[in-house]
Amino acid sequence: MLRLAGARLLGDRDYPAVRAVLEADPVASCMVSARVEVAGLDPWRLGGELWAADYRGSRSGRLPGLCFSGPNLIPLRGNATALRSFADRALRKQRTCSSLVGPADQVLGLWDELSGEWGPAREVRDDQPLMAMEAQPEVKPDPLVRAVRLDELERYLPAAIAMFIEEVGADPRAGDGGSSYRARVAELISGNRAFARFENGEVVFKAEIGALSRGVGQIQGVWVHPDRRGRGLGAAGTAAVVSHLVNGMGRTASLYVNSFNAPALAAYRRIGFRQVGRYATVLF
């Protein structure tokens, strides 16, 4: 089979072409847009690399394929040929990303190319509805959900760890004792992007705005204390975060969820979310 020499590393001169791809689907590209808008395309500032699948296309202002390689590998656009070129470049060095995530067709196509070298995966989540809304939530927001203060980090952190273990199936404290995860949670709190409802000093609901671009905020880490589930706290709490994004920040609220999580899907639809695409995640 004829294979490409590999995808090209993009730099700041390619910014207009990259922006065109990101703006074509702002919800699906939120995770990458949030980085590019702050850091540009320089790998050191970006915390990763952006790859183009076709050099000639990028020079003419069009990118038929685009992929971010950093803590996660995020293919945003590309046909089978483009995905092979991304795989070629990814396989030149040892895997360092913790997951493949993004639009399902690109993620699953890229995984087909990589699985022989990088597999087996710990888990493949091949159907994750990508949802968004721009209006006031249809569920009354919980007035007790608020931004977490930095001096509440130690009270918030156990809930964040519990959520991560439930959602990802791994303990974020493994390896370094949790110092890097703690730092990430503290960063979210410092940026007023972690929200919780506290009762008697304990978190009973939490959610975060993980990625925040100029037009979209991606909600992540929605969690309700096991003793309080089934009482509507998740829907009302998420509605409070949606209201903050839509009314307070002028952003589209988005999230993605596993298709098998029927209670979460039903709650998000009650709030007013609609499906706008499909994500997939490959966990290592």
Side-chain angles (χ1 to χ4, degrees):
M1 178 184 295
L2 177 64
R3 299 183 74 86
L4 298 182
R8 181 176 78 93
L9 175 65
L10 297 175
D12 282 336
R13 66 178 180 175
D14 302 295
Y15 188 85
V18 171
R19 286 302 313 162
V21 174
L22 300 180
E23 290 171 357
D25 193 343
V27 175
S29 65
C30 177
M31 286 187 285
V32 177
S33 293
R35 288 175 173 267
V36 169
E37 289 169 2
V38 172
L41 304 189
D42 176 75
W44 187 85
R45 290 182 285 118
L46 188 63
E49 298 179 344
L50 272 172
W51 303 338
D54 177 58
Y55 178 81
R56 290 170 299 174
S58 65
R59 291 298 294 273
S60 66
R62 298 184 302 275
L63 291 176
L66 182 67
C67 182
F68 173 76
S69 176
N72 304 299
L73 192 60
I74 308 174
L76 288 176
R77 175 185 287 186
N79 59 19
T81 301
L83 297 176
R84 284 196 295 273
S85 75
F86 297 149
D88 286 337
R89 188 171 185 107
L91 291 171
R92 292 178 190 175
K93 57 184 179 180
Q94 184 176 5
R95 178 185 64 80
T96 57
C97 62
S98 62
S99 71
L100 271 68
V101 62
D105 289 345
Q106 280 69 48
V107 166
L108 298 175
L110 183 55
W111 181 235
D112 284 343
E113 297 290 335
L114 293 170
S115 58
E117 296 287 337
W118 283 7
R122 180 164 57 84
E123 186 178 355
V124 177
R125 300 176 178 178
D126 60 1
D127 186 8
Q128 298 176 304
L130 177 66
M131 311 183 84
M133 60 182 294
E134 300 89 18
Q136 175 71 15
E138 297 173 15
V139 169
K140 182 180 178 181
D142 185 342
L144 297 182
V145 170
R146 58 171 176 81
V148 180
R149 302 188 306 268
L150 193 56
D151 63 4
E152 296 172 316
L153 172 61
E154 299 306 326
R155 285 193 285 163
Y156 182 80
L157 194 58
I161 292 169
M163 176 280 303
F164 193 98
I165 293 172
E166 286 186 33
E167 175 63 24
V168 180
D171 192 327
R173 296 166 295 185
D176 64 358
S179 60
S180 59
Y181 185 69
R182 186 182 189 278
R184 172 57 178 160
V185 172
E187 180 184 13
L188 289 169
I189 292 174
S190 296
N192 294 315
R193 288 161 56 182
F195 298 83
R197 172 172 172 159
F198 291 88
E199 291 183 1
N200 300 317
E202 184 178 26
V203 174
V204 297
F205 166 86
K206 67 163 289 294
E208 297 147 1
I209 302 170
L212 185 66
S213 70
R214 290 172 188 152
V216 180
Q218 189 176 84
I219 298 171
Q220 67 176 30
V222 177
W223 180 87
V224 176
H225 192 286
D227 293 342
R228 301 298 304 278
R229 293 175 185 175
R231 305 183 189 181
L233 283 179
T238 303
V241 182
V242 169
S243 181
H244 177 78
L245 275 168
V246 172
N247 299 322
M249 304 184 73
R251 259 76 161 191
T252 296
S254 77
L255 51 79
Y256 61 99
V257 60
N258 294 314
S259 61
F260 56 77
N261 192 343
L265 271 171
Y268 297 145
R269 287 171 178 148
R270 285 200 307 274
I271 293 167
F273 280 98
R274 69 189 190 283
Q275 184 169 350
V276 297
R278 185 168 70 100
Y279 258 30
T281 303
V282 179
L283 295 169
F284 300 115

